[in-house]
Amino acid sequence: MYYFQIANHHLIIRNENFFWFETKIDLNDILAIVLDKNVMLIDILKSRNLRIILNDYEELRMGADLLRKRNWQELKTDFEKMGITVRDEF
């Protein structure tokens, strides 16, 4: 699972299991953010994802089930304040 930070005009993506994994994306390279969920087999097995659509229409999907609803709301608000389009499909 991944977790996210916004710092120094970058979106920083880290993995809690593989602590050495880190990806930085410049916020100017992000076209849109989609907060969505995958439903697997039955409705109980849902996973929440942050889908990042870059300016060249490349998509990155990062699963983050362990984030609380409050954290998702804060992340969404932060992106909106920076002028990034956010689509909430939860």
Side-chain angles (χ1 to χ4, degrees):
M1 290 293 129
Y2 297 94
Y3 63 97
F4 315 100
Q5 281 181 281
I6 297 175
N8 298 328
H9 209 67
H10 284 84
L11 172 63
I12 302 168
I13 303 166
R14 293 192 172 133
N15 188 301
E16 63 184 27
N17 296 324
F18 303 108
F19 56 87
W20 60 88
F21 176 87
E22 179 179 289
T23 300
K24 289 184 181 180
I25 301 171
D26 191 317
L27 293 176
N28 292 326
D29 295 338
I30 299 175
L31 180 65
I33 297 288
V34 181
L35 308 176
D36 67 359
K37 61 183 170 184
N38 287 341
V39 179
M40 305 168 74
L41 299 177
I42 54 176
D43 199 36
I44 297 171
L45 300 174
K46 298 179 205 173
S47 66
R48 293 182 176 188
N49 300 302
L50 178 75
R51 192 169 35 152
I52 304 162
I53 304 171
L54 300 175
N55 288 333
D56 61 358
Y57 296 102
E58 180 183 347
E59 286 190 16
L60 304 171
R61 185 181 300 250
M62 305 290 181
D65 267 348
L66 300 178
L67 291 181
R68 296 182 178 135
K69 187 174 183 176
R70 175 185 50 144
N71 298 116
W72 284 110
Q73 284 299 108
E74 289 173 3
L75 193 60
K76 178 182 175 186
T77 303
D78 289 345
F79 282 126
E80 288 172 340
K81 283 180 185 175
M82 293 176 194
I84 297 172
T85 305
V86 179
R87 219 172 53 212
D88 188 350
E89 297 181 358
F90 284 157

Coordinates of all heavy atoms in Angstrom, one line a residue:
M1 N 0.8 -1.2 0.0 CA 0.0 0.0 0.0 C 0.9 1.2 0.0 O 2.0 1.3 0.5 CB -0.9 0.0 1.2 CG -2.0 -1.0 1.2 SD -3.2 -0.7 0.0 CE -3.2 -2.2 -0.8
Y2 N 0.3 2.3 -0.6 CA 1.1 3.5 -0.8 C 0.5 4.6 0.2 O -0.6 4.5 0.6 CB 1.0 4.0 -2.2 CG 1.6 3.0 -3.2 CD1 0.8 2.0 -3.8 CD2 2.9 3.1 -3.4 CE1 1.4 1.1 -4.7 CE2 3.5 2.2 -4.3 CZ 2.8 1.2 -4.9 OH 3.4 0.3 -5.8
Y3 N 1.3 5.6 0.4 CA 0.8 6.8 1.1 C 1.5 8.0 0.4 O 2.4 7.8 -0.4 CB 1.1 6.8 2.6 CG 2.5 6.8 3.0 CD1 3.2 7.9 3.3 CD2 3.2 5.6 3.1 CE1 4.5 7.9 3.8 CE2 4.5 5.5 3.6 CZ 5.2 6.7 3.9 OH 6.5 6.7 4.3
F4 N 0.9 9.2 0.6 CA 1.2 10.3 -0.3 C 1.5 11.5 0.6 O 0.9 11.7 1.6 CB 0.0 10.6 -1.2 CG -0.6 9.4 -1.8 CD1 -1.8 8.8 -1.3 CD2 0.0 8.9 -2.9 CE1 -2.3 7.7 -1.9 CE2 -0.5 7.7 -3.5 CZ -1.7 7.1 -3.0
Q5 N 2.4 12.4 0.0 CA 2.7 13.6 0.6 C 2.8 14.7 -0.5 O 3.2 14.4 -1.6 CB 4.1 13.6 1.3 CG 4.3 12.9 2.6 CD 5.7 13.0 3.0 OE1 6.5 12.2 2.6 NE2 6.0 13.9 3.9
I6 N 2.5 15.9 -0.1 CA 2.7 17.0 -1.0 C 3.7 17.9 -0.3 O 3.5 18.4 0.8 CB 1.4 17.8 -1.3 CG1 0.4 16.8 -2.0 CG2 1.7 19.0 -2.2 CD1 -0.9 17.5 -2.2
A7 N 4.9 18.1 -1.0 CA 6.0 18.9 -0.4 C 6.8 19.5 -1.6 O 7.1 18.8 -2.6 CB 6.8 18.1 0.5
N8 N 7.3 20.7 -1.4 CA 8.1 21.4 -2.4 C 7.6 21.3 -3.8 O 8.3 21.0 -4.8 CB 9.5 20.8 -2.3 CG 10.2 21.0 -1.0 OD1 9.9 22.0 -0.3 ND2 11.0 20.1 -0.6
H9 N 6.3 21.5 -4.0 CA 5.6 21.4 -5.3 C 5.8 20.1 -6.0 O 5.8 20.0 -7.2 CB 6.1 22.6 -6.1 CG 5.0 23.1 -7.1 ND1 3.9 23.7 -6.7 CD2 4.9 23.0 -8.4 CE1 3.1 24.0 -7.7 NE2 3.7 23.5 -8.8
H10 N 5.8 19.0 -5.2 CA 5.9 17.7 -5.7 C 4.9 16.8 -5.0 O 4.6 17.0 -3.8 CB 7.3 17.0 -5.5 CG 8.3 17.6 -6.5 ND1 9.0 18.7 -6.3 CD2 8.7 17.1 -7.7 CE1 9.8 18.9 -7.3 NE2 9.6 17.9 -8.2
L11 N 4.3 15.8 -5.7 CA 3.6 14.7 -5.0 C 4.6 13.6 -4.8 O 5.2 13.1 -5.7 CB 2.4 14.3 -5.9 CG 1.7 13.0 -5.5 CD1 1.0 13.3 -4.1 CD2 0.7 12.6 -6.5
I12 N 4.7 13.2 -3.5 CA 5.7 12.2 -3.2 C 4.9 10.9 -2.8 O 4.0 11.0 -2.0 CB 6.6 12.6 -2.0 CG1 7.3 13.9 -2.4 CG2 7.5 11.5 -1.6 CD1 8.0 14.6 -1.2
I13 N 5.2 9.8 -3.5 CA 4.5 8.6 -3.3 C 5.5 7.6 -2.6 O 6.6 7.4 -3.2 CB 4.0 8.0 -4.6 CG1 3.1 9.1 -5.3 CG2 3.2 6.7 -4.4 CD1 2.8 8.8 -6.7
R14 N 5.1 7.0 -1.5 CA 5.9 6.0 -0.8 C 5.1 4.8 -0.6 O 3.9 4.8 -0.5 CB 6.4 6.6 0.5 CG 7.4 7.8 0.2 CD 8.1 8.1 1.5 NE 9.1 9.1 1.2 CZ 9.3 10.2 1.9 NH1 8.6 10.4 3.0 NH2 10.3 11.0 1.6
N15 N 5.8 3.7 -0.4 CA 5.2 2.4 -0.1 C 5.6 2.0 1.4 O 6.7 2.1 1.7 CB 5.7 1.3 -1.0 CG 5.0 0.0 -0.9 OD1 5.0 -0.6 0.2 ND2 4.4 -0.4 -2.0
E16 N 4.6 1.7 2.1 CA 4.8 1.4 3.5 C 5.6 0.1 3.7 O 6.3 -0.1 4.7 CB 3.5 1.3 4.3 CG 2.6 0.3 3.9 CD 1.3 0.4 4.7 OE1 0.9 1.4 5.1 OE2 0.6 -0.7 4.8
N17 N 5.5 -0.9 2.8 CA 6.2 -2.2 2.9 C 7.6 -2.1 2.4 O 8.5 -2.6 3.0 CB 5.4 -3.3 2.2 CG 4.1 -3.5 2.9 OD1 3.9 -3.4 4.1 ND2 3.1 -3.8 2.0
F18 N 7.8 -1.4 1.3 CA 9.1 -1.2 0.7 C 9.5 0.2 0.9 O 9.3 1.1 0.1 CB 9.0 -1.5 -0.8 CG 8.5 -2.9 -1.1 CD1 7.2 -3.1 -1.7 CD2 9.2 -4.0 -0.8 CE1 6.7 -4.4 -1.9 CE2 8.7 -5.3 -1.1 CZ 7.5 -5.5 -1.6
F19 N 10.1 0.4 2.1 CA 10.4 1.8 2.5 C 11.4 2.5 1.6 O 11.4 3.7 1.7 CB 10.9 1.8 4.0 CG 12.1 0.9 4.2 CD1 13.4 1.4 4.0 CD2 11.9 -0.4 4.6 CE1 14.5 0.6 4.2 CE2 13.0 -1.2 4.7 CZ 14.3 -0.7 4.6
W20 N 12.1 1.8 0.8 CA 13.1 2.5 -0.1 C 12.4 3.0 -1.4 O 12.9 3.8 -2.1 CB 14.2 1.5 -0.5 CG 13.7 0.3 -1.1 CD1 13.5 0.1 -2.5 CD2 13.3 -1.0 -0.5 NE1 13.0 -1.1 -2.7 CE2 12.9 -1.8 -1.6 CE3 13.3 -1.4 0.8 CZ2 12.5 -3.1 -1.3 CZ3 12.9 -2.7 1.0 CH2 12.5 -3.5 0.0
F21 N 11.1 2.6 -1.6 CA 10.4 3.0 -2.8 C 9.9 4.4 -2.6 O 9.3 4.8 -1.6 CB 9.2 2.1 -3.0 CG 8.3 2.6 -4.2 CD1 8.6 2.2 -5.5 CD2 7.3 3.4 -4.0 CE1 7.8 2.6 -6.5 CE2 6.5 3.9 -5.0 CZ 6.8 3.5 -6.3
E22 N 10.3 5.3 -3.5 CA 9.8 6.7 -3.5 C 9.7 7.2 -4.9 O 10.6 7.0 -5.7 CB 10.7 7.5 -2.7 CG 10.3 9.0 -2.6 CD 11.2 9.8 -1.8 OE1 11.2 9.7 -0.6 OE2 12.0 10.6 -2.4
T23 N 8.6 7.8 -5.2 CA 8.4 8.4 -6.6 C 8.0 9.9 -6.3 O 7.1 10.1 -5.5 CB 7.3 7.7 -7.3 OG1 7.7 6.3 -7.5 CG2 7.1 8.3 -8.7
K24 N 8.6 10.8 -7.1 CA 8.2 12.2 -7.0 C 7.7 12.6 -8.3 O 8.3 12.3 -9.4 CB 9.4 13.0 -6.7 CG 9.9 12.9 -5.3 CD 11.1 13.8 -5.0 CE 11.6 13.7 -3.6 NZ 12.7 14.6 -3.3
I25 N 6.5 13.3 -8.3 CA 5.9 13.8 -9.5 C 5.7 15.3 -9.3 O 5.1 15.7 -8.3 CB 4.5 13.1 -9.7 CG1 4.7 11.6 -9.9 CG2 3.9 13.7 -11.0 CD1 3.4 10.9 -9.9
D26 N 6.2 16.1 -10.2 CA 6.0 17.5 -10.2 C 4.5 17.8 -10.3 O 3.8 17.3 -11.2 CB 6.8 18.2 -11.3 CG 6.9 19.7 -11.1 OD1 5.8 20.3 -10.8 OD2 8.0 20.3 -11.3
L27 N 4.0 18.7 -9.5 CA 2.5 19.0 -9.6 C 2.1 19.7 -10.9 O 1.0 19.5 -11.3 CB 2.1 19.9 -8.4 CG 2.2 19.2 -7.0 CD1 1.9 20.3 -5.9 CD2 1.3 18.0 -6.9
N28 N 3.1 20.3 -11.6 CA 2.8 20.9 -12.9 C 2.6 19.8 -14.0 O 2.0 20.1 -15.0 CB 3.9 21.8 -13.3 CG 4.0 23.1 -12.5 OD1 3.0 23.6 -12.0 ND2 5.2 23.5 -12.2
D29 N 3.1 18.6 -13.7 CA 2.9 17.5 -14.7 C 1.6 16.8 -14.5 O 1.3 15.9 -15.3 CB 4.1 16.5 -14.5 CG 5.4 17.1 -14.9 OD1 5.4 18.1 -15.7 OD2 6.4 16.6 -14.5
I30 N 0.8 17.1 -13.5 CA -0.4 16.4 -13.2 C -1.6 17.1 -13.9 O -1.8 18.3 -13.6 CB -0.7 16.3 -11.7 CG1 0.4 15.5 -11.1 CG2 -2.0 15.6 -11.4 CD1 0.4 15.4 -9.6
L31 N -2.3 16.4 -14.7 CA -3.5 17.0 -15.4 C -4.7 16.8 -14.5 O -5.5 17.7 -14.4 CB -3.7 16.2 -16.7 CG -4.9 16.7 -17.6 CD1 -4.7 18.1 -18.0 CD2 -5.1 15.8 -18.8
A32 N -4.9 15.6 -13.9 CA -6.1 15.4 -13.1 C -5.8 14.2 -12.1 O -4.9 13.4 -12.3 CB -7.3 15.0 -14.0
I33 N -6.6 14.2 -11.1 CA -6.5 13.1 -10.1 C -7.9 12.5 -10.0 O -8.9 13.2 -10.0 CB -6.2 13.7 -8.7 CG1 -4.8 14.4 -8.7 CG2 -6.3 12.7 -7.6 CD1 -3.7 13.4 -8.7
V34 N -7.9 11.2 -9.9 CA -9.2 10.5 -9.8 C -9.1 9.6 -8.5 O -8.2 8.8 -8.4 CB -9.5 9.6 -11.0 CG1 -10.8 8.8 -10.8 CG2 -9.5 10.4 -12.3
L35 N -10.0 9.8 -7.6 CA -10.1 9.0 -6.4 C -11.1 7.9 -6.7 O -12.3 8.2 -6.9 CB -10.6 9.8 -5.2 CG -9.8 11.0 -4.9 CD1 -10.4 11.8 -3.7 CD2 -8.3 10.7 -4.6
D36 N -10.7 6.6 -6.9 CA -11.6 5.6 -7.3 C -11.4 4.3 -6.5 O -10.5 4.3 -5.6 CB -11.6 5.3 -8.8 CG -10.3 4.7 -9.2 OD1 -9.4 4.5 -8.4 OD2 -10.1 4.4 -10.4
K37 N -12.3 3.4 -6.7 CA -12.1 2.1 -6.0 C -12.4 1.0 -7.0 O -13.2 1.1 -7.9 CB -13.1 2.0 -4.8 CG -14.5 2.1 -5.1 CD -15.3 2.1 -3.8 CE -16.8 2.4 -4.1 NZ -17.6 2.5 -2.9
N38 N -11.7 -0.1 -6.7 CA -11.9 -1.3 -7.5 C -12.7 -2.3 -6.6 O -12.5 -2.4 -5.4 CB -10.5 -2.1 -7.7 CG -9.7 -1.4 -8.8 OD1 -10.2 -0.6 -9.5 ND2 -8.4 -1.6 -8.8
V39 N -13.7 -2.9 -7.2 CA -14.5 -3.8 -6.5 C -14.1 -5.2 -7.0 O -14.2 -5.4 -8.2 CB -16.0 -3.6 -6.7 CG1 -16.8 -4.6 -6.0 CG2 -16.4 -2.2 -6.2
M40 N -13.7 -6.1 -6.2 CA -13.2 -7.4 -6.6 C -14.2 -8.5 -6.1 O -14.4 -8.6 -4.9 CB -11.8 -7.6 -6.0 CG -10.9 -6.5 -6.4 SD -9.3 -6.6 -5.5 CE -8.6 -8.0 -6.2
L41 N -14.8 -9.2 -7.0 CA -15.7 -10.3 -6.7 C -16.9 -9.9 -5.9 O -18.0 -10.0 -6.4 CB -14.9 -11.5 -6.0 CG -13.8 -12.1 -6.8 CD1 -13.1 -13.1 -6.0 CD2 -14.2 -12.7 -8.1
I42 N -16.7 -9.6 -4.7 CA -17.8 -9.2 -3.9 C -17.6 -7.8 -3.3 O -16.4 -7.3 -3.3 CB -18.1 -10.2 -2.7 CG1 -16.8 -10.3 -1.9 CG2 -18.6 -11.5 -3.2 CD1 -17.0 -11.2 -0.7
D43 N -18.6 -7.1 -2.9 CA -18.5 -5.7 -2.5 C -17.6 -5.5 -1.3 O -17.1 -4.4 -1.1 CB -19.9 -5.2 -2.2 CG -20.0 -3.7 -2.2 OD1 -19.2 -3.1 -3.1 OD2 -20.7 -3.1 -1.4
I44 N -17.3 -6.5 -0.5 CA -16.5 -6.4 0.7 C -15.1 -6.2 0.3 O -14.4 -5.4 1.0 CB -16.6 -7.7 1.5 CG1 -18.1 -7.8 2.0 CG2 -15.7 -7.6 2.7 CD1 -18.4 -9.2 2.7
L45 N -14.6 -6.7 -0.8 CA -13.2 -6.6 -1.2 C -13.0 -5.4 -2.1 O -12.8 -5.5 -3.3 CB -12.8 -7.9 -1.9 CG -12.9 -9.2 -1.1 CD1 -12.5 -10.3 -2.0 CD2 -11.9 -9.1 0.0
K46 N -13.1 -4.2 -1.5 CA -12.9 -3.0 -2.2 C -11.5 -2.4 -1.9 O -11.0 -2.6 -0.8 CB -13.9 -1.9 -1.7 CG -15.3 -2.2 -2.0 CD -16.1 -1.1 -1.4 CE -17.5 -1.6 -1.1 NZ -18.3 -0.6 -0.4
S47 N -10.9 -1.9 -2.9 CA -9.6 -1.2 -2.7 C -9.7 0.2 -3.2 O -10.2 0.5 -4.3 CB -8.5 -1.9 -3.4 OG -8.6 -1.9 -4.8
R48 N -9.2 1.2 -2.4 CA -9.3 2.6 -2.8 C -8.0 2.9 -3.5 O -6.9 2.5 -3.1 CB -9.4 3.4 -1.6 CG -10.8 3.3 -1.0 CD -11.0 4.2 0.2 NE -12.3 4.0 0.7 CZ -12.8 4.8 1.6 NH1 -12.1 5.8 2.1 NH2 -14.0 4.6 2.0
N49 N -8.1 3.7 -4.6 CA -6.9 4.0 -5.4 C -6.8 5.5 -5.6 O -7.9 6.2 -5.7 CB -7.0 3.4 -6.8 CG -7.1 1.9 -6.7 OD1 -6.2 1.3 -6.1 ND2 -8.1 1.3 -7.2
L50 N -5.6 6.0 -5.8 CA -5.4 7.3 -6.3 C -4.9 7.1 -7.7 O -3.8 6.5 -7.9 CB -4.3 8.0 -5.5 CG -3.9 9.4 -5.9 CD1 -5.0 10.4 -5.5 CD2 -2.6 9.9 -5.3
R51 N -5.6 7.6 -8.7 CA -5.2 7.5 -10.1 C -4.7 8.9 -10.5 O -5.5 9.9 -10.4 CB -6.4 7.0 -10.9 CG -6.0 6.6 -12.3 CD -7.1 5.9 -13.1 NE -8.4 6.5 -12.8 CZ -9.4 6.4 -13.6 NH1 -9.3 5.9 -14.8 NH2 -10.6 6.9 -13.2
I52 N -3.5 8.9 -11.0 CA -2.9 10.2 -11.4 C -2.8 10.2 -12.9 O -2.3 9.3 -13.5 CB -1.5 10.3 -10.8 CG1 -1.5 10.1 -9.3 CG2 -0.8 11.6 -11.2 CD1 -0.2 9.8 -8.7
I53 N -3.4 11.2 -13.5 CA -3.4 11.4 -15.0 C -2.4 12.5 -15.3 O -2.6 13.7 -14.8 CB -4.8 11.7 -15.6 CG1 -5.8 10.6 -15.2 CG2 -4.7 11.8 -17.1 CD1 -7.2 10.8 -15.5
L54 N -1.4 12.2 -16.0 CA -0.3 13.2 -16.3 C -0.7 14.0 -17.5 O -1.6 13.6 -18.3 CB 1.0 12.5 -16.4 CG 1.5 11.7 -15.2 CD1 2.8 10.9 -15.5 CD2 1.7 12.6 -14.0
N55 N 0.1 15.0 -17.8 CA -0.2 15.9 -19.0 C -0.1 15.1 -20.3 O -0.7 15.5 -21.3 CB 0.7 17.1 -19.0 CG 0.3 18.1 -17.9 OD1 -0.8 18.2 -17.5 ND2 1.3 18.8 -17.4
D56 N 0.7 14.1 -20.3 CA 0.8 13.3 -21.6 C -0.2 12.1 -21.6 O 0.0 11.2 -22.3 CB 2.3 12.8 -21.7 CG 2.7 11.9 -20.6 OD1 1.9 11.7 -19.7 OD2 3.9 11.4 -20.7
Y57 N -1.1 12.2 -20.7 CA -2.2 11.2 -20.5 C -1.8 9.8 -20.1 O -2.5 8.8 -20.2 CB -3.1 11.1 -21.8 CG -3.8 12.4 -22.2 CD1 -3.3 13.2 -23.1 CD2 -4.9 12.8 -21.4 CE1 -3.9 14.4 -23.4 CE2 -5.5 14.0 -21.7 CZ -5.0 14.8 -22.7 OH -5.6 16.0 -22.9
E58 N -0.6 9.7 -19.6 CA -0.1 8.5 -18.9 C -0.8 8.4 -17.5 O -1.1 9.5 -16.9 CB 1.4 8.6 -18.7 CG 1.9 7.3 -18.0 CD 3.4 7.5 -17.7 OE1 4.1 8.4 -18.3 OE2 3.9 6.6 -16.9
E59 N -1.2 7.2 -17.2 CA -2.0 7.0 -15.9 C -1.1 6.2 -14.9 O -0.5 5.2 -15.3 CB -3.3 6.4 -16.1 CG -4.3 7.2 -16.7 CD -5.7 6.6 -16.7 OE1 -5.9 5.6 -16.0 OE2 -6.6 7.1 -17.5
L60 N -1.1 6.6 -13.7 CA -0.5 5.9 -12.6 C -1.6 5.6 -11.6 O -2.4 6.5 -11.2 CB 0.6 6.7 -11.9 CG 1.7 7.2 -12.8 CD1 2.6 8.1 -12.0 CD2 2.5 6.0 -13.3
R61 N -1.7 4.3 -11.2 CA -2.8 4.0 -10.2 C -2.0 3.4 -9.0 O -1.3 2.5 -9.0 CB -3.7 2.9 -10.8 CG -4.8 2.6 -9.9 CD -5.7 1.5 -10.5 NE -6.2 1.9 -11.7 CZ -7.5 2.2 -11.9 NH1 -8.4 2.1 -11.0 NH2 -7.9 2.6 -13.1
M62 N -2.3 4.0 -7.8 CA -1.7 3.6 -6.6 C -2.7 3.3 -5.6 O -3.6 4.1 -5.2 CB -0.8 4.8 -6.0 CG 0.2 5.3 -7.0 SD 1.5 4.2 -7.2 CE 2.5 5.0 -8.3
G63 N -2.7 2.0 -5.1 CA -3.7 1.6 -4.1 C -3.3 2.1 -2.7 O -2.1 2.1 -2.3
A64 N -4.3 2.5 -2.0 CA -4.0 3.1 -0.6 C -5.2 2.8 0.3 O -5.9 3.7 0.7 CB -3.8 4.6 -0.7
D65 N -5.5 1.5 0.6 CA -6.6 1.1 1.4 C -6.5 1.6 2.8 O -7.6 1.8 3.5 CB -6.7 -0.4 1.4 CG -7.6 -0.9 0.4 OD1 -8.3 -0.1 -0.2 OD2 -7.6 -2.1 0.1
L66 N -5.4 1.8 3.3 CA -5.2 2.1 4.8 C -5.4 3.6 5.1 O -5.5 3.9 6.3 CB -3.9 1.6 5.3 CG -3.6 0.1 5.1 CD1 -2.2 -0.3 5.6 CD2 -4.7 -0.7 5.9
L67 N -5.6 4.4 4.1 CA -5.9 5.8 4.4 C -7.3 6.0 4.9 O -8.2 5.3 4.4 CB -5.7 6.7 3.2 CG -4.2 6.9 2.7 CD1 -4.2 7.8 1.5 CD2 -3.3 7.4 3.7
R68 N -7.5 6.8 5.9 CA -8.8 7.0 6.4 C -9.5 8.0 5.5 O -8.9 8.7 4.7 CB -8.7 7.6 7.8 CG -8.1 6.7 8.8 CD -8.1 7.3 10.2 NE -7.5 6.4 11.1 CZ -6.6 6.7 12.0 NH1 -6.2 7.9 12.1 NH2 -6.1 5.7 12.8
K69 N -10.9 8.1 5.7 CA -11.7 9.0 4.9 C -11.2 10.4 5.1 O -11.2 11.2 4.1 CB -13.1 8.8 5.3 CG -14.1 9.5 4.4 CD -15.5 9.2 4.8 CE -16.5 9.9 3.8 NZ -17.8 9.6 4.0
R70 N -10.9 10.8 6.3 CA -10.4 12.1 6.6 C -9.1 12.5 5.8 O -9.0 13.5 5.2 CB -10.2 12.3 8.1 CG -9.6 13.6 8.5 CD -9.3 13.5 9.9 NE -8.5 12.3 10.2 CZ -7.5 12.2 11.1 NH1 -7.2 13.2 11.8 NH2 -6.9 11.1 11.3
N71 N -8.2 11.5 5.7 CA -7.0 11.7 4.9 C -7.3 11.9 3.4 O -6.6 12.7 2.8 CB -6.0 10.5 5.1 CG -5.6 10.4 6.5 OD1 -5.9 9.4 7.2 ND2 -4.9 11.4 7.1
W72 N -8.2 11.1 2.9 CA -8.6 11.2 1.5 C -9.2 12.6 1.2 O -8.9 13.3 0.2 CB -9.6 10.2 1.1 CG -9.0 8.8 0.8 CD1 -9.2 7.7 1.6 CD2 -8.2 8.4 -0.2 NE1 -8.5 6.7 1.1 CE2 -7.9 7.1 0.0 CE3 -7.6 9.1 -1.3 CZ2 -7.0 6.4 -0.9 CZ3 -6.8 8.4 -2.2 CH2 -6.5 7.0 -2.0
Q73 N -10.0 13.1 2.2 CA -10.6 14.4 2.0 C -9.6 15.5 2.1 O -9.6 16.5 1.3 CB -11.6 14.7 3.1 CG -13.0 14.0 2.9 CD -13.6 14.4 1.7 OE1 -13.7 13.6 0.7 NE2 -14.1 15.6 1.6
E74 N -8.6 15.4 3.0 CA -7.5 16.4 3.1 C -6.7 16.4 1.8 O -6.3 17.5 1.3 CB -6.6 16.1 4.2 CG -7.2 16.4 5.6 CD -6.3 15.9 6.7 OE1 -5.2 15.4 6.5 OE2 -6.8 16.0 7.9
L75 N -6.4 15.2 1.2 CA -5.6 15.1 0.0 C -6.4 15.8 -1.2 O -5.8 16.6 -1.9 CB -5.3 13.7 -0.3 CG -4.3 13.4 -1.4 CD1 -2.9 14.0 -1.0 CD2 -4.1 11.9 -1.5
K76 N -7.7 15.5 -1.2 CA -8.5 16.1 -2.3 C -8.5 17.6 -2.2 O -8.4 18.3 -3.2 CB -9.9 15.5 -2.1 CG -10.9 16.1 -3.1 CD -12.3 15.5 -2.9 CE -13.3 16.2 -3.8 NZ -14.6 15.8 -3.6
T77 N -8.7 18.1 -1.0 CA -8.7 19.5 -0.7 C -7.4 20.2 -1.1 O -7.4 21.3 -1.8 CB -9.1 19.8 0.7 OG1 -10.3 19.2 1.1 CG2 -9.2 21.3 1.0
D78 N -6.3 19.6 -0.8 CA -5.0 20.1 -1.1 C -4.8 20.2 -2.6 O -4.3 21.2 -3.1 CB -3.9 19.2 -0.5 CG -3.8 19.4 1.0 OD1 -4.4 20.4 1.5 OD2 -3.1 18.5 1.6
F79 N -5.2 19.1 -3.4 CA -5.1 19.2 -4.8 C -6.0 20.3 -5.4 O -5.6 21.0 -6.3 CB -5.5 17.8 -5.4 CG -4.4 16.8 -5.3 CD1 -4.7 15.5 -4.7 CD2 -3.1 17.0 -5.8 CE1 -3.7 14.6 -4.7 CE2 -2.1 16.1 -5.7 CZ -2.4 14.8 -5.1
E80 N -7.2 20.4 -4.9 CA -8.1 21.4 -5.4 C -7.6 22.8 -5.2 O -7.7 23.7 -6.0 CB -9.5 21.3 -4.8 CG -10.2 20.0 -5.4 CD -11.5 19.7 -4.7 OE1 -11.7 20.2 -3.5 OE2 -12.3 19.0 -5.3
K81 N -6.9 23.1 -4.0 CA -6.3 24.4 -3.7 C -5.2 24.7 -4.7 O -5.0 25.9 -5.0 CB -5.8 24.4 -2.3 CG -6.8 24.5 -1.2 CD -6.1 24.5 0.1 CE -7.2 24.5 1.2 NZ -6.5 24.4 2.6
M82 N -4.6 23.7 -5.2 CA -3.5 23.9 -6.2 C -3.9 24.0 -7.6 O -3.1 24.0 -8.5 CB -2.4 22.8 -6.0 CG -1.8 22.8 -4.7 SD -0.7 21.5 -4.5 CE -0.4 21.6 -2.8
G83 N -5.3 23.9 -7.8 CA -5.8 24.0 -9.2 C -5.8 22.8 -10.0 O -6.0 22.8 -11.2
I84 N -5.6 21.6 -9.3 CA -5.6 20.3 -10.0 C -7.1 19.8 -10.0 O -7.7 19.7 -8.9 CB -4.6 19.4 -9.4 CG1 -3.2 19.9 -9.5 CG2 -4.7 18.0 -10.0 CD1 -2.2 19.1 -8.8
T85 N -7.6 19.3 -11.1 CA -8.9 18.7 -11.2 C -8.9 17.4 -10.4 O -8.1 16.6 -10.6 CB -9.3 18.5 -12.6 OG1 -9.2 19.7 -13.3 CG2 -10.7 18.0 -12.7
V86 N -9.9 17.3 -9.5 CA -10.1 16.0 -8.8 C -11.5 15.5 -9.0 O -12.5 16.2 -8.9 CB -9.9 16.3 -7.2 CG1 -10.1 15.0 -6.5 CG2 -8.5 16.9 -7.0
R87 N -11.5 14.2 -9.4 CA -12.8 13.5 -9.6 C -12.9 12.5 -8.5 O -12.1 11.6 -8.4 CB -12.8 12.8 -11.0 CG -14.1 12.9 -11.7 CD -14.1 12.4 -13.1 NE -13.5 11.1 -13.2 CZ -12.8 10.7 -14.3 NH1 -12.6 11.5 -15.3 NH2 -12.3 9.5 -14.3
D88 N -13.9 12.6 -7.7 CA -14.1 11.6 -6.6 C -15.2 10.6 -7.0 O -16.3 10.9 -7.1 CB -14.6 12.4 -5.3 CG -14.7 11.6 -4.1 OD1 -14.5 10.4 -4.2 OD2 -14.8 12.2 -3.0
E89 N -14.7 9.3 -7.1 CA -15.6 8.2 -7.5 C -15.8 7.2 -6.4 O -16.1 6.1 -6.7 CB -15.1 7.6 -8.8 CG -15.0 8.5 -9.9 CD -14.5 7.9 -11.2 OE1 -14.2 6.7 -11.2 OE2 -14.5 8.6 -12.3
F90 N -15.5 7.6 -5.1 CA -15.7 6.7 -4.0 C -17.2 6.4 -3.8 O -18.0 7.2 -3.9 CB -15.1 7.3 -2.7 CG -13.6 7.2 -2.7 CD1 -12.9 8.0 -1.9 CD2 -12.9 6.3 -3.4 CE1 -11.5 8.0 -1.8 CE2 -11.5 6.2 -3.4 CZ -10.8 7.1 -2.6

